[in-house]
Amino acid sequence: MLSSAEATELADLFEVTFQDNAADSVLWATNKTGADITVTIEMTELNNVSPAEGQKVTLTVPGHAKVAAIHLTPVDENQRYRHNFAYHFTWGSTRARHDPATVYALPYSSGATFKVVQGFHGKFSHAGELA
């Protein structure tokens, strides 16, 4: 279980919110960062509602975007409905593909310099089986 500080920190990055409309309800995925985030949302309880996209949805939310993830429609409009959901997310896009011919830029400002203290397979901090 997350502490309230951890939950607040995650909410600063990404959140899933619910909006109740006249005809349907929508779960929105909001990415507050500049990088793509892939989220999986699973409906854990459905009473008198039907998800148009299915009970489990995985999608990539671009940086600084808000995406309608799941639309819920009442089965019987004269009855109350209830739903619950859980989600998890990870950095990156499911559509990303590595291109070995591309020179990728490091996430630093142009012209910034940094001292490298550990190289690939370096012995400085690796010990045991990784050494």
Side-chain angles (χ1 to χ4, degrees):
M1 176 148 239
L2 294 175
S3 70
S4 61
E6 290 170 322
T8 300
E9 186 176 311
L10 288 177
D12 289 342
L13 302 174
F14 187 85
E15 68 181 350
V16 175
T17 55
F18 171 74
Q19 179 182 4
D20 199 9
N21 302 318
D24 68 356
S25 299
V26 181
L27 290 175
W28 291 92
T30 304
N31 181 351
K32 300 177 183 180
T33 74
D36 289 350
I37 289 179
T38 297
V39 61
T40 298
I41 305 170
E42 184 169 7
M43 302 307 300
T44 57
E45 178 181 359
L46 292 170
N47 291 329
N48 194 37
V49 288
S50 176
E53 294 80 3
Q55 278 192 252
K56 187 174 184 179
V57 173
T58 298
L59 59 116
T60 297
V61 183
H64 302 294
K66 182 176 181 179
V67 175
I70 299 178
H71 294 80
L72 299 169
T73 305
V75 174
D76 181 349
E77 293 180 15
N78 298 315
Q79 299 292 320
R80 294 175 63 94
Y81 66 89
R82 180 179 167 92
H83 62 84
N84 209 341
F85 63 92
Y87 71 93
H88 64 273
F89 66 90
T90 188
W91 297 105
S93 169
T94 57
R95 297 181 302 268
R97 298 292 175 256
H98 174 66
D99 181 356
T102 299
V103 176
Y104 293 95
L106 295 173
Y108 308 115
S109 300
S110 180
T113 60
F114 298 90
K115 181 179 179 180
V116 176
V117 295
Q118 178 76 38
F120 184 68
H121 286 301
K123 303 293 183 192
F124 174 70
S125 63
H126 295 145
E129 294 178 20
L130 298 176

